[in-house]
Amino acid sequence: MTQHPAPVTQDTSPADLNTLTDAMLKLRNEVVSGAERRLKKSHPDCPDIIPFSARNLAQYLALRAMDLRPLQMSLTRQGLSSLGRTEAHVMASINQVLRVLTRLTHRSHEADPEPTGIDFDRGLYTLKENADHLFGTPPTERNVRIMVTLPREAALHEDLVLKLMETGMDCARINCAHDDPEAWSAMIRHLRSAEQRLNTRCTILMDLAGHKLRTGPLAHRPPVSHVKPRRNLLGRMVQPAQVILTPANATPMTAAGEGVYQYLLPSPCLERMQVGDRLVFEDTRGKRRRLNIMETLDHGGRLATLDRSAYFTSSTRFIHERPDEMGHWQEIQTLQLVWPELEPVTIRLFKDDLLYLTRSQTPGQPATVDDSGQCLLPAHIACTTPKALAALAPGQKVWIDDGKIGGTVDHLTDDGVMIRITHCRPQGHRLRPDRGINFPSASLNLPGLSPQDLEHLDFVVAHADLVGYSFVESREDMVLLMDELARRGGSDLGIVAKIETCRAVENLPEIILATLGRHRLGVMIARGDLAVEIGGERLAEIQEEILWLCEAAHVPVIWATQVLESLAKEGLISRPELTDAAMAGRAECVMLNKGPYILDALQTLDSILVRMQAHQHKKTAQLRALRLAG
């Protein structure tokens, strides 16, 4: 890293000012040469349409590759700009400081060796203009747009979409990982209708799912039902258990009261039953039991009674019998109950447990233990992207369910990887299906677009204003998406690059340079996956750096994930979330996720952003008059 001369002392003698001027001239030359080296590598990605944004980003990267702190202190002591707000206009900031220094030292002004034409006003205006072109113009009373992830209900209820727009939604996000084209079409139809009613515009972002590194399905536990008659305190039966047998295709009745149970049977089986018949079965303990048919019900079902306790499952076979004229029981049919929903098994993981992550899509099962609690076989669950497991090596980190479960790769097998759990709650954590999996230190070498993404891209090009690029990680990924959009006639579609992995952060400059001039571009700080990948303690630092780099490239930013989440999902608000929402105003757009109280969250965020824009713009404090100072 380049080091600058030691800071100038508080003495303002000409000699010291000359030293400071020399340091600034050296700085400018290094910025120019460093930027040219980077642009030479990325020249094909920097067309002449908007060369100044790419050049300004390259200059900012060259500037920030150096430790400027000693020089900053010297500049500040002289009452000059400390170069702390150069993002949108790097060379203009450096040249302005040099103009002042050359006057103070009576030296002739050395012209900028690489004029860019990016003055202070143009740098700030270009970012605003790009944000307007990407998201649409913001409302008159607020500078920052608000994006809302549409819930499935938005496909069913047009009034919900209308209320969201009335409350302050400027952009609508449709997550292609959920629902289907039919539901997406209904959401878009409701949005366009609301636009006409309100005479306003709402931008539509359709978010590609990307490669789904998620936990697979769980196996279902055999359903077990325990039916028992009512008994008094002495254990004597006071009323047989009442069993309502309902047609499987009918609306289930709500069984109420102690000793009342309800089960489903195929309608043809029920139609053959008469009062006085019985269902004989052997329960799970080998006990012989019988259900006595007592009554025909209005909905086509039957009421039966059971006078002894019984356990049965979905595999229990019931023999339908009827007495003949001699009183002998004759078999009519054999049947089984219809179980509408089977409950999944429970996998609860504790620290030091083993979890087998498999390539085969076998439904997950909990660990098998013996009578003494010793583990015979570890719990296992599938990874929905099996190819990703090939990139893992022993010792690498694995995070599951937004970082709630953490582990390291213990060893590899032909069918997967064995993970030793290192992080979870003391009381253990329940592993569920369809939960995200992160491999922060592994290079997965997966194509930027999944087959499902390519399939959804046709719909996105036809209906959306912006496409969200999940798990983009490199220049090559961006070129792939732009080429696919061009094939579909979507060259005018805006792209939002979602930064959510370590590799995406490392390659962010090249991701931006690959896109400038070819597509309208925005960047989403996807803080959920990003925090898992880089570690929560680094998130605040990295999101700042992303904001700075994007401002230097005049690229608008979406501040996303868990903004006012407690309020949106639970109707409760926390003080840290209020502060986070206030900080979000430094981006050009803030995203809210769906929840039952989304309208409350939207109204609160709108109020916070309006208030904070009088105090802060990007990194710059706005010094409006304070009541407390009056």
Side-chain angles (χ1 to χ4, degrees), residues 544-623:
E544 289 295 305
E545 293 185 14
I546 294 173
L547 282 168
W548 299 338
L549 262 63
C550 289
E551 186 178 0
H554 311 123
V555 169
V557 173
I558 303 172
W559 184 285
T561 315
Q562 293 182 321
V563 178
L564 298 180
E565 182 157 331
S566 296
L567 179 57
K569 291 189 174 180
E570 302 171 16
L572 303 172
I573 197 165
S574 69
R575 286 183 291 275
E577 285 183 336
L578 289 171
T579 302
D580 178 62
M583 294 288 287
R586 292 176 303 152
E588 283 66 45
C589 182
V590 183
M591 191 185 90
L592 292 173
N593 272 324
K594 55 193 174 184
Y597 304 94
I598 184 60
L599 290 173
D600 294 336
L602 182 54
Q603 188 173 37
T604 300
L605 180 60
D606 176 75
S607 176
I608 291 172
L609 293 176
V610 170
R611 292 172 184 273
M612 287 306 299
Q613 69 187 20
H615 297 278
Q616 188 84 21
H617 173 71
K618 305 301 283 185
K619 290 171 63 177
T620 304
Q622 305 282 88
L623 302 182

Coordinates of all heavy atoms in Angstrom, one line a residue, residues 544-623:
E544 N -20.5 0.2 4.1 CA -20.0 1.5 3.9 C -19.1 1.5 2.6 O -19.2 2.4 1.8 CB -19.1 1.9 5.1 CG -19.9 2.2 6.3 CD -20.8 3.4 6.1 OE1 -20.3 4.5 5.8 OE2 -22.0 3.3 6.4
E545 N -18.2 0.6 2.4 CA -17.4 0.5 1.3 C -18.2 0.4 0.0 O -17.8 1.0 -1.0 CB -16.3 -0.6 1.4 CG -15.3 -0.4 2.6 CD -14.3 -1.4 2.6 OE1 -14.1 -2.2 1.6 OE2 -13.6 -1.5 3.6
I546 N -19.2 -0.4 0.0 CA -20.0 -0.6 -1.2 C -20.7 0.7 -1.5 O -20.8 1.1 -2.7 CB -21.1 -1.7 -0.9 CG1 -20.4 -3.1 -0.8 CG2 -22.1 -1.8 -2.1 CD1 -21.3 -4.2 -0.4
L547 N -21.2 1.4 -0.5 CA -21.8 2.7 -0.8 C -20.8 3.7 -1.4 O -21.2 4.4 -2.4 CB -22.3 3.3 0.5 CG -23.7 2.8 1.1 CD1 -23.9 3.3 2.5 CD2 -24.8 3.2 0.2
W548 N -19.6 3.7 -0.9 CA -18.6 4.6 -1.5 C -18.2 4.3 -2.9 O -18.2 5.2 -3.8 CB -17.3 4.6 -0.6 CG -17.5 5.0 0.8 CD1 -18.5 5.7 1.3 CD2 -16.7 4.6 1.9 NE1 -18.4 5.9 2.7 CE2 -17.3 5.2 3.1 CE3 -15.5 3.9 2.1 CZ2 -16.7 5.1 4.3 CZ3 -15.0 3.7 3.3 CH2 -15.6 4.3 4.5
L549 N -18.0 3.0 -3.2 CA -17.6 2.6 -4.6 C -18.8 2.9 -5.5 O -18.5 3.4 -6.7 CB -17.3 1.1 -4.6 CG -15.8 0.8 -4.5 CD1 -15.2 1.2 -3.2 CD2 -15.5 -0.7 -4.7
C550 N -20.0 2.6 -5.1 CA -21.1 2.9 -6.0 C -21.3 4.4 -6.3 O -21.6 4.8 -7.4 CB -22.4 2.3 -5.5 SG -22.4 0.5 -5.5
E551 N -21.1 5.2 -5.3 CA -21.2 6.6 -5.5 C -20.1 7.1 -6.4 O -20.4 8.0 -7.3 CB -21.1 7.4 -4.1 CG -21.3 8.9 -4.3 CD -21.3 9.6 -3.0 OE1 -21.0 9.0 -1.9 OE2 -21.4 10.9 -3.0
A552 N -18.9 6.5 -6.3 CA -17.8 6.9 -7.2 C -18.2 6.6 -8.7 O -17.8 7.2 -9.6 CB -16.6 6.3 -6.8
A553 N -18.9 5.5 -8.9 CA -19.3 5.1 -10.2 C -20.7 5.7 -10.6 O -21.2 5.4 -11.7 CB -19.4 3.5 -10.3
H554 N -21.2 6.5 -9.8 CA -22.6 7.1 -10.0 C -23.6 6.1 -10.2 O -24.5 6.2 -11.0 CB -22.5 8.1 -11.2 CG -21.4 9.0 -11.2 ND1 -20.4 9.1 -12.2 CD2 -21.0 9.9 -10.2 CE1 -19.5 10.0 -11.8 NE2 -19.8 10.5 -10.6
V555 N -23.5 5.0 -9.4 CA -24.5 3.9 -9.5 C -25.4 3.9 -8.2 O -24.9 3.9 -7.1 CB -23.7 2.5 -9.5 CG1 -24.7 1.3 -9.3 CG2 -23.0 2.4 -10.8
P556 N -26.7 3.9 -8.4 CA -27.6 4.0 -7.2 C -27.6 2.6 -6.5 O -27.3 1.6 -7.0 CB -29.0 4.2 -7.8 CG -28.8 3.9 -9.3 CD -27.4 4.1 -9.7
V557 N -27.9 2.7 -5.2 CA -27.8 1.6 -4.3 C -29.1 1.3 -3.6 O -29.8 2.3 -3.3 CB -26.7 1.8 -3.2 CG1 -26.7 0.7 -2.1 CG2 -25.3 2.0 -3.8
I558 N -29.4 0.0 -3.4 CA -30.6 -0.4 -2.6 C -30.1 -1.0 -1.3 O -29.3 -1.9 -1.3 CB -31.4 -1.5 -3.4 CG1 -31.9 -1.0 -4.8 CG2 -32.6 -1.9 -2.6 CD1 -32.5 -2.0 -5.6
W559 N -30.6 -0.4 -0.2 CA -30.2 -0.9 1.1 C -31.3 -1.9 1.5 O -32.5 -1.6 1.6 CB -30.3 0.3 2.1 CG -29.9 0.1 3.5 CD1 -30.6 -0.5 4.5 CD2 -28.7 0.6 4.1 NE1 -30.0 -0.5 5.7 CE2 -28.8 0.2 5.5 CE3 -27.6 1.3 3.7 CZ2 -27.8 0.5 6.4 CZ3 -26.6 1.6 4.6 CH2 -26.7 1.2 6.0
A560 N -30.9 -3.2 1.6 CA -31.9 -4.3 1.7 C -31.7 -5.2 2.9 O -30.6 -5.2 3.5 CB -31.9 -5.1 0.4
T561 N -32.7 -5.9 3.2 CA -32.7 -7.0 4.2 C -32.9 -6.5 5.6 O -32.0 -5.8 6.2 CB -31.4 -7.9 4.1 OG1 -31.1 -8.2 2.8 CG2 -31.7 -9.2 4.9
Q562 N -34.0 -7.0 6.3 CA -34.3 -6.8 7.7 C -34.4 -5.3 8.1 O -34.3 -5.0 9.2 CB -33.2 -7.4 8.5 CG -33.2 -8.9 8.4 CD -32.2 -9.6 9.3 OE1 -31.0 -9.1 9.5 NE2 -32.5 -10.8 9.9
V563 N -34.8 -4.4 7.1 CA -35.1 -3.1 7.5 C -36.5 -3.1 8.2 O -37.5 -3.5 7.6 CB -35.1 -2.2 6.3 CG1 -35.5 -0.7 6.7 CG2 -33.7 -2.2 5.6
L564 N -36.5 -2.6 9.4 CA -37.8 -2.6 10.2 C -38.5 -3.9 10.2 O -39.7 -4.0 10.2 CB -38.7 -1.5 9.7 CG -38.2 0.0 9.8 CD1 -39.2 0.9 9.3 CD2 -37.8 0.3 11.2
E565 N -37.7 -5.0 10.3 CA -38.3 -6.3 10.1 C -39.2 -6.7 11.3 O -40.3 -7.3 11.1 CB -37.2 -7.4 10.0 CG -37.7 -8.8 9.8 CD -36.7 -9.7 9.1 OE1 -35.9 -9.2 8.3 OE2 -36.8 -10.9 9.3
S566 N -38.8 -6.4 12.5 CA -39.7 -6.7 13.6 C -41.1 -6.0 13.5 O -42.1 -6.6 13.8 CB -39.0 -6.2 14.9 OG -37.8 -7.0 15.2
L567 N -41.0 -4.8 13.0 CA -42.3 -4.0 12.8 C -43.1 -4.7 11.7 O -44.3 -4.9 11.9 CB -42.0 -2.6 12.5 CG -43.2 -1.7 12.2 CD1 -44.1 -1.7 13.4 CD2 -42.7 -0.2 11.9
A568 N -42.5 -5.0 10.6 CA -43.2 -5.6 9.5 C -43.8 -7.0 9.8 O -44.9 -7.3 9.4 CB -42.3 -5.7 8.2
K569 N -43.1 -7.8 10.6 CA -43.5 -9.1 10.8 C -44.3 -9.3 12.1 O -45.2 -10.2 12.2 CB -42.3 -10.1 10.8 CG -41.7 -10.2 9.4 CD -40.6 -11.3 9.4 CE -40.1 -11.5 8.0 NZ -39.1 -12.6 7.9
E570 N -44.0 -8.5 13.1 CA -44.6 -8.7 14.5 C -45.4 -7.5 15.0 O -46.0 -7.6 16.0 CB -43.5 -9.1 15.5 CG -42.7 -10.3 15.1 CD -41.5 -10.5 16.0 OE1 -41.4 -9.9 17.1 OE2 -40.6 -11.3 15.6
G571 N -45.3 -6.4 14.3 CA -46.0 -5.2 14.7 C -45.2 -4.5 15.9 O -45.8 -3.6 16.4
L572 N -44.0 -4.9 16.2 CA -43.2 -4.3 17.2 C -42.0 -3.6 16.6 O -41.4 -4.1 15.7 CB -42.8 -5.3 18.3 CG -43.9 -6.1 18.9 CD1 -43.4 -7.3 19.8 CD2 -44.8 -5.2 19.8
I573 N -41.5 -2.6 17.2 CA -40.4 -1.9 16.7 C -39.3 -1.8 17.7 O -39.5 -1.7 18.9 CB -40.8 -0.4 16.2 CG1 -39.8 0.1 15.3 CG2 -41.1 0.5 17.4 CD1 -40.3 1.4 14.5
S574 N -38.0 -1.9 17.2 CA -36.9 -1.9 18.2 C -36.1 -0.7 17.9 O -36.0 -0.2 16.8 CB -36.1 -3.2 18.0 OG -35.4 -3.2 16.8
R575 N -35.4 -0.2 18.9 CA -34.6 1.0 18.7 C -33.4 0.8 17.8 O -33.1 1.7 16.9 CB -34.0 1.5 20.1 CG -35.1 2.1 21.0 CD -34.6 2.6 22.3 NE -34.2 1.6 23.2 CZ -35.0 0.9 24.0 NH1 -36.3 1.3 24.0 NH2 -34.6 0.0 24.8
P576 N -32.7 -0.4 17.8 CA -31.7 -0.5 16.8 C -32.2 -0.5 15.3 O -31.5 0.0 14.4 CB -31.1 -1.9 17.1 CG -31.4 -2.1 18.6 CD -32.7 -1.4 18.8
E577 N -33.4 -1.0 15.1 CA -34.0 -1.0 13.8 C -34.3 0.4 13.3 O -34.2 0.8 12.1 CB -35.2 -1.9 13.7 CG -34.9 -3.4 13.7 CD -36.2 -4.2 13.6 OE1 -37.2 -3.7 13.9 OE2 -36.0 -5.3 13.1
L578 N -34.7 1.3 14.3 CA -34.9 2.7 13.9 C -33.7 3.4 13.5 O -33.6 4.1 12.5 CB -35.5 3.4 15.1 CG -37.0 3.0 15.5 CD1 -37.4 3.7 16.8 CD2 -37.9 3.5 14.4
T579 N -32.6 3.1 14.2 CA -31.3 3.7 13.8 C -30.8 3.2 12.4 O -30.3 3.9 11.6 CB -30.2 3.4 14.9 OG1 -30.7 3.9 16.1 CG2 -28.9 4.0 14.5
D580 N -31.0 1.9 12.2 CA -30.7 1.3 10.9 C -31.4 1.9 9.8 O -30.9 2.2 8.7 CB -30.9 -0.2 11.0 CG -30.6 -0.9 9.7 OD1 -29.4 -0.9 9.3 OD2 -31.5 -1.5 9.1
A581 N -32.7 2.1 10.0 CA -33.6 2.7 9.0 C -33.1 4.2 8.7 O -33.1 4.6 7.5 CB -35.0 2.7 9.4
A582 N -32.7 4.9 9.7 CA -32.2 6.2 9.5 C -30.9 6.2 8.7 O -30.7 7.0 7.8 CB -31.9 6.9 10.8
M583 N -30.0 5.2 9.0 CA -28.7 5.1 8.2 C -29.0 4.7 6.7 O -28.3 5.1 5.8 CB -27.9 4.0 8.8 CG -27.4 4.4 10.2 SD -26.1 5.7 10.2 CE -24.7 4.8 9.5
A584 N -30.1 4.0 6.5 CA -30.5 3.6 5.2 C -30.7 4.7 4.2 O -30.6 4.6 3.0 CB -31.7 2.7 5.2
G585 N -31.0 5.9 4.7 CA -31.3 7.1 3.9 C -30.1 7.5 3.1 O -30.2 8.4 2.2
R586 N -28.9 6.9 3.3 CA -27.7 7.3 2.5 C -27.7 6.5 1.2 O -26.9 6.8 0.3 CB -26.4 7.0 3.2 CG -26.3 8.0 4.4 CD -25.1 7.6 5.2 NE -25.1 6.3 5.7 CZ -24.1 5.5 6.0 NH1 -22.9 6.0 5.8 NH2 -24.2 4.3 6.4
A587 N -28.6 5.6 1.0 CA -28.8 4.9 -0.3 C -29.8 5.6 -1.1 O -30.5 6.5 -0.6 CB -29.1 3.4 0.0
E588 N -30.0 5.2 -2.3 CA -31.0 5.8 -3.2 C -32.3 5.1 -3.1 O -33.3 5.6 -3.5 CB -30.5 5.8 -4.7 CG -29.5 6.8 -5.0 CD -28.2 6.6 -4.3 OE1 -27.7 5.4 -4.3 OE2 -27.6 7.6 -3.8
C589 N -32.3 3.9 -2.5 CA -33.6 3.1 -2.4 C -33.4 2.2 -1.1 O -32.3 1.7 -0.9 CB -33.8 2.3 -3.6 SG -35.3 1.3 -3.6
V590 N -34.5 2.0 -0.4 CA -34.5 1.1 0.8 C -35.6 0.1 0.6 O -36.7 0.4 0.2 CB -34.8 1.9 2.1 CG1 -34.7 1.0 3.3 CG2 -33.8 3.1 2.2
M591 N -35.2 -1.2 0.9 CA -36.2 -2.3 0.6 C -36.8 -2.8 1.9 O -36.0 -3.0 2.9 CB -35.5 -3.4 -0.1 CG -36.4 -4.5 -0.6 SD -35.5 -5.9 -1.3 CE -35.3 -6.9 0.1
L592 N -38.1 -3.0 1.9 CA -38.8 -3.6 3.0 C -39.2 -5.0 2.6 O -39.7 -5.2 1.4 CB -40.0 -2.8 3.4 CG -39.8 -1.5 4.1 CD1 -41.1 -0.7 4.2 CD2 -39.1 -1.6 5.4
N593 N -39.1 -6.0 3.5 CA -39.6 -7.3 3.2 C -41.1 -7.4 3.6 O -41.6 -6.6 4.5 CB -38.8 -8.4 3.9 CG -37.6 -8.8 3.0 OD1 -37.7 -8.9 1.8 ND2 -36.5 -9.1 3.6
K594 N -41.8 -8.4 3.1 CA -43.2 -8.6 3.4 C -43.4 -9.0 4.8 O -42.5 -9.5 5.5 CB -43.8 -9.6 2.4 CG -43.1 -11.0 2.5 CD -43.5 -11.8 1.3 CE -42.6 -13.1 1.3 NZ -42.9 -14.0 0.1
G595 N -44.6 -8.7 5.3 CA -45.0 -9.1 6.6 C -46.5 -8.6 6.9 O -47.0 -7.8 6.2
P596 N -47.1 -9.2 7.9 CA -48.5 -8.8 8.2 C -48.7 -7.3 8.5 O -49.8 -6.8 8.3 CB -48.8 -9.6 9.5 CG -47.8 -10.7 9.5 CD -46.6 -10.2 8.9
Y597 N -47.6 -6.7 9.0 CA -47.7 -5.2 9.4 C -46.9 -4.4 8.4 O -46.3 -3.4 8.8 CB -47.2 -5.0 10.8 CG -48.0 -5.9 11.8 CD1 -47.5 -7.1 12.2 CD2 -49.2 -5.5 12.3 CE1 -48.2 -7.9 13.1 CE2 -49.9 -6.3 13.2 CZ -49.4 -7.5 13.6 OH -50.1 -8.3 14.5
I598 N -46.8 -4.8 7.1 CA -46.0 -4.1 6.2 C -46.4 -2.6 6.0 O -45.6 -1.7 5.8 CB -46.0 -4.8 4.8 CG1 -45.0 -4.2 3.8 CG2 -47.4 -4.9 4.2 CD1 -43.6 -4.1 4.3
L599 N -47.7 -2.3 6.1 CA -48.2 -0.9 5.9 C -47.7 -0.1 7.0 O -47.3 1.1 6.8 CB -49.7 -0.9 5.8 CG -50.3 -1.5 4.6 CD1 -51.9 -1.6 4.7 CD2 -49.9 -0.7 3.3
D600 N -47.6 -0.6 8.3 CA -47.1 0.2 9.4 C -45.6 0.4 9.2 O -45.1 1.5 9.4 CB -47.3 -0.6 10.7 CG -48.8 -0.7 11.1 OD1 -49.6 0.1 10.6 OD2 -49.1 -1.6 11.8
A601 N -44.9 -0.6 8.7 CA -43.4 -0.4 8.5 C -43.2 0.6 7.4 O -42.3 1.4 7.4 CB -42.8 -1.8 8.1
L602 N -44.0 0.5 6.3 CA -43.9 1.4 5.2 C -44.1 2.9 5.6 O -43.3 3.8 5.3 CB -44.8 1.0 4.1 CG -44.9 1.8 2.8 CD1 -43.5 1.9 2.2 CD2 -45.8 1.2 1.8
Q603 N -45.1 3.1 6.4 CA -45.4 4.5 6.9 C -44.3 5.0 7.8 O -43.9 6.1 7.7 CB -46.7 4.4 7.7 CG -47.3 5.8 8.1 CD -48.7 5.7 8.7 OE1 -49.0 4.8 9.4 NE2 -49.5 6.7 8.4
T604 N -43.8 4.1 8.7 CA -42.7 4.5 9.6 C -41.4 4.8 8.8 O -40.8 5.9 9.1 CB -42.4 3.4 10.6 OG1 -43.6 3.1 11.4 CG2 -41.3 3.8 11.5
L605 N -41.1 4.0 7.9 CA -39.9 4.2 7.1 C -40.0 5.5 6.3 O -39.0 6.3 6.2 CB -39.6 3.1 6.1 CG -38.4 3.2 5.2 CD1 -37.1 3.3 6.1 CD2 -38.3 2.0 4.3
D606 N -41.1 5.8 5.7 CA -41.3 7.0 5.0 C -41.1 8.2 5.8 O -40.4 9.2 5.5 CB -42.8 7.1 4.4 CG -43.1 8.4 3.7 OD1 -42.6 8.5 2.6 OD2 -43.8 9.2 4.3
S607 N -41.6 8.2 7.1 CA -41.4 9.3 8.0 C -39.9 9.5 8.4 O -39.4 10.6 8.4 CB -42.3 9.1 9.3 OG -42.0 10.1 10.2
I608 N -39.3 8.4 8.6 CA -37.8 8.5 9.0 C -37.0 9.1 7.9 O -36.1 9.9 8.1 CB -37.3 7.1 9.4 CG1 -37.9 6.6 10.7 CG2 -35.8 7.1 9.5 CD1 -37.6 5.2 11.1
L609 N -37.2 8.6 6.7 CA -36.4 9.1 5.5 C -36.7 10.5 5.2 O -35.7 11.3 4.9 CB -36.8 8.2 4.3 CG -36.3 6.8 4.3 CD1 -36.8 6.0 3.1 CD2 -34.8 6.6 4.5
V610 N -37.9 11.0 5.4 CA -38.2 12.4 5.1 C -37.5 13.3 6.2 O -36.9 14.3 5.9 CB -39.7 12.7 5.2 CG1 -40.0 14.2 5.2 CG2 -40.4 12.0 4.0
R611 N -37.5 12.8 7.4 CA -36.8 13.6 8.5 C -35.3 13.6 8.3 O -34.6 14.6 8.5 CB -37.1 13.0 9.9 CG -38.6 13.2 10.3 CD -38.9 12.4 11.5 NE -40.3 12.5 11.9 CZ -40.8 13.5 12.6 NH1 -40.1 14.5 13.1 NH2 -42.1 13.5 12.9
M612 N -34.7 12.5 8.0 CA -33.2 12.3 7.9 C -32.6 13.0 6.7 O -31.5 13.4 6.8 CB -32.8 10.9 7.9 CG -33.0 10.2 9.3 SD -32.2 11.0 10.7 CE -30.5 11.0 10.1
Q613 N -33.4 13.2 5.6 CA -32.8 13.9 4.5 C -32.4 15.3 4.7 O -31.6 15.9 4.0 CB -33.7 13.7 3.3 CG -34.9 14.5 3.3 CD -35.9 14.2 2.1 OE1 -35.7 13.2 1.5 NE2 -36.8 15.1 1.8
A614 N -33.0 15.9 5.8 CA -32.6 17.3 6.2 C -31.3 17.3 6.9 O -30.7 18.4 7.1 CB -33.7 17.9 7.0
H615 N -30.8 16.1 7.4 CA -29.6 16.1 8.2 C -28.5 15.4 7.5 O -27.3 15.7 7.9 CB -29.9 15.3 9.5 CG -30.9 15.9 10.4 ND1 -30.6 16.9 11.2 CD2 -32.2 15.7 10.5 CE1 -31.7 17.3 11.9 NE2 -32.7 16.5 11.5
Q616 N -28.7 14.6 6.5 CA -27.7 13.8 5.9 C -27.9 13.5 4.4 O -29.0 13.2 4.0 CB -27.6 12.4 6.6 CG -26.4 11.6 6.2 CD -25.1 11.9 7.0 OE1 -25.2 12.5 8.1 NE2 -24.0 11.6 6.5
H617 N -26.9 13.7 3.6 CA -26.9 13.3 2.2 C -25.7 12.5 1.9 O -24.6 13.1 2.0 CB -27.0 14.5 1.3 CG -26.9 14.1 -0.2 ND1 -27.9 13.5 -0.9 CD2 -25.9 14.3 -1.1 CE1 -27.5 13.3 -2.1 NE2 -26.3 13.7 -2.3
K618 N -25.8 11.2 1.6 CA -24.7 10.3 1.4 C -23.8 10.5 2.7 O -24.2 10.3 3.8 CB -24.0 10.6 0.1 CG -24.8 10.6 -1.1 CD -25.5 9.3 -1.3 CE -24.6 8.2 -1.9 NZ -25.3 7.0 -2.2
K619 N -22.5 10.8 2.5 CA -21.6 10.9 3.6 C -21.6 12.3 4.3 O -21.0 12.5 5.3 CB -20.2 10.6 3.2 CG -19.9 9.2 2.8 CD -18.5 9.0 2.2 CE -17.4 9.4 3.1 NZ -16.1 9.1 2.5
T620 N -22.3 13.3 3.6 CA -22.2 14.7 4.0 C -23.3 15.0 5.0 O -24.5 14.8 4.7 CB -22.3 15.6 2.8 OG1 -21.2 15.2 1.9 CG2 -22.1 17.0 3.2
A621 N -22.9 15.6 6.2 CA -23.9 16.1 7.1 C -24.5 17.4 6.6 O -23.8 18.3 6.0 CB -23.3 16.4 8.5
Q622 N -25.9 17.5 6.6 CA -26.6 18.7 6.2 C -26.8 19.6 7.4 O -27.5 19.1 8.4 CB -27.9 18.3 5.6 CG -27.8 17.3 4.4 CD -27.3 18.0 3.1 OE1 -26.1 18.1 2.9 NE2 -28.3 18.5 2.3
L623 N -26.3 20.7 7.4 CA -26.3 21.6 8.7 C -27.5 22.5 8.6 O -27.3 23.8 8.5 CB -25.0 22.3 8.8 CG -23.7 21.4 8.9 CD1 -22.5 22.3 9.1 CD2 -23.9 20.4 10.0

